[in-house]
Amino acid sequence: MRLLVIEDDPLIARSLEHALQPLGNTVDMFCTYAEAQAALAHDRFDLILLDLGLPDGEGLDLLASLRDRGDTTPVLILTARDGVDDRVSGLDLGADDYLAKPFSLAELEARVRALLRRSQQRSDNRLRFSTLSFDPTSGTATLDDTPLALPRRELLLLEGLLLHAGSIAPRETLERRLFGFDDVGSNALEVYVSRLRKRLQNSGLKIRTFRGLGYRLEEDREPGRAEGPEDETA
Ligand code: CA
């Protein structure tokens, strides 16, 4: 999952990052209204954790402008323990849930999982396609019920493909998922796609390239045929 955390308190921000990243998540962190607004203007996330009191603006305004644009990304607001008015305003403005500070990390993780499930209309935590399954909670993948041990970025790639299973996972979305806002070379994503392809060899699944657009996880109807970025056009 790709999460956006907007929080200006460095201690809280760090604990959020530590809690969320091991779950197989890419966590982008911003501590100002302006930075968060810029990130949201040209990017999509699976979930936003939003602190309401930011040094250069109100989290509630950010939420309002998000919903005004018709953006339905789930938002979990972080409020002060006594901030009843903030919680009510936040929920009225379209926040999906709130957590009062200080919060327990276990509760945070459970609420994040629940919001992601709900937004993806899943009844449990797993993402599935054919014989492939990924559990974002534990960060484990299985193929034909056999554990698939993958390094972190291959797991993120697999998750990104599974989130778009049946359709094309946009190249840019996958790059952001794997590398965040880091500058990476133009073929960095291909390196991970080709590694994951090798692992899926003879599995009945393949990753199809749509040049200039992205990649799609598909059932492989012609196993044994060479896979590579050169074999597709779109
Ligand atoms: Ca704050």
Side-chain angles (χ1 to χ4, degrees):
M1 306 289 162
R2 182 147 189 240
L3 309 185
L4 174 63
V5 174
I6 306 162
E7 167 63 67
D8 64 316
D9 181 317
L11 279 180
I12 297 176
R14 206 167 311 141
S15 70
L16 288 171
E17 191 175 20
H18 284 170
L20 298 170
Q21 219 153 34
L23 306 178
N25 290 313
T26 299
V27 186
D28 289 306
M29 314 280 305
F30 293 103
C31 57
T32 66
Y33 184 103
E35 287 173 336
Q37 195 177 32
L40 285 167
H42 63 84
D43 226 339
R44 293 205 53 87
F45 298 88
D46 300 306
L47 177 69
I48 300 164
L49 286 86
L50 176 63
D51 175 37
L52 296 187
L54 297 169
D56 57 341
E58 291 294 323
L60 287 178
D61 292 338
L62 200 64
L63 173 63
S65 71
L66 197 70
R67 295 301 186 236
D68 279 349
R69 301 201 289 274
D71 189 323
T72 58
T73 306
V75 173
L76 174 67
I77 53 175
L78 306 170
T79 72
R81 164 113 13 240
D82 55 356
V84 180
D85 292 346
D86 280 347
R87 299 208 279 273
V88 171
S89 305
L91 293 170
D92 281 345
L93 283 171
D96 298 87
D97 200 359
Y98 68 85
L99 209 48
K101 298 176 190 177
F103 45 81
S104 89
L105 291 179
E107 184 178 5
L108 167 84
E109 290 171 24
R111 282 177 188 262
V112 165
R113 286 196 294 269
L115 283 175
L116 291 170
R117 270 202 310 269
R118 210 185 303 158
S119 71
Q120 290 151 10
Q121 296 170 335
R122 288 180 282 121
S123 57
D124 68 12
N125 288 322
R126 283 171 194 281
L127 300 169
R128 296 185 178 87
F129 181 75
S130 181
T131 51
L132 198 56
S133 161
F134 175 72
D135 183 349
T137 312
S138 57
T140 52
T142 58
L143 183 63
D144 267 331
D145 297 324
T146 307
L148 195 58
L150 297 178
R152 182 168 170 272
R153 280 192 169 139
E154 285 176 59
L155 269 183
L156 291 170
L157 173 61
L158 181 72
E159 182 184 35
L161 292 167
L162 281 170
L163 283 168
H164 291 87
S167 57
I168 298 170
R171 178 192 174 80
E172 202 170 291
T173 305
L174 293 175
E175 281 177 342
R176 284 288 162 77
R177 180 174 291 279
L178 266 68
F179 310 113
F181 284 89
D182 294 345
D183 261 331
V184 291
S186 60
N187 68 344
L189 181 62
E190 274 81 7
V191 170
Y192 290 93
V193 169
S194 102
R195 287 181 193 169
L196 193 55
R197 272 193 179 123
K198 288 204 182 89
R199 302 196 194 253
L200 294 178
Q201 251 168 18
N202 305 317
S203 69
L205 294 169
K206 65 173 181 178
I207 302 169
R208 182 164 161 190
T209 304
F210 290 84
R211 202 179 286 276
L213 294 177
Y215 300 90
R216 185 165 74 194
L217 191 61
E218 295 183 349
E219 291 190 68
D220 189 2
R221 295 181 204 293
E222 298 175 68
R225 185 164 160 263
E227 288 293 336
E230 70 285 349
D231 77 338
E232 282 302 337
T233 53

